[in-house]
Amino acid sequence: MACPICGPKLSAYCMVLSVWAIIMLGLLGLFFYIRSPALFEDIPLGDWEKNNYTYSYVKEKYEQNAMNCWIAAGLYFLLLIFSFTQQRMNSRANYELS
């Protein structure tokens, strides 16, 4: 049996953080994907490009940000799986000791 890397408090904290991040980044990616005007300031336009942007260019940047959010949500999902397995290992280790 493998020994846990994280303690029970850290693994629980990482699970809560991961769930929150997955929800937040998933919704943020959705809003970028539907091109929410409130997020226009968050798309990466250079200084010289702000005056010369086209609709297709801005649409591409919105989609790029949406994909980045979804990739980050996927990484947090992996952290959630890791934290869950660590929590299970800690609970089994505590059960075996008692």
Side-chain angles (χ1 to χ4, degrees):
M1 181 174 143
C3 67
I5 297 171
C6 302
K9 291 179 184 177
L10 178 61
S11 59
Y13 173 76
C14 287
M15 283 192 330
V16 170
L17 179 71
S18 297
V19 169
W20 174 79
I22 290 168
I23 293 169
M24 187 202 70
L25 289 169
L27 287 174
L28 189 61
L30 175 69
F31 293 135
F32 270 119
Y33 188 74
I34 62 173
R35 295 182 290 282
S36 174
L39 298 173
F40 180 74
E41 293 180 356
D42 295 322
I43 58 175
L45 298 173
D47 289 336
W48 63 274
E49 297 167 335
K50 284 188 179 180
N51 297 328
N52 300 326
Y53 58 84
T54 62
Y55 177 75
S56 62
Y57 179 75
V58 172
K59 180 181 174 183
E60 176 185 328
K61 291 298 182 178
Y62 268 110
E63 290 173 356
Q64 178 186 3
N65 275 7
M67 189 60 65
N68 289 344
C69 287
W70 292 330
I71 289 170
L75 292 174
Y76 273 107
F77 182 73
L78 294 176
L79 179 64
L80 176 67
I81 293 171
F82 174 75
S83 300
F84 180 74
T85 57
Q86 291 297 305
Q87 186 71 26
R88 296 283 298 213
M89 284 183 181
N90 282 317
S91 65
R92 285 184 184 164
N94 289 340
Y95 180 72
E96 288 176 0
L97 290 177
S98 58

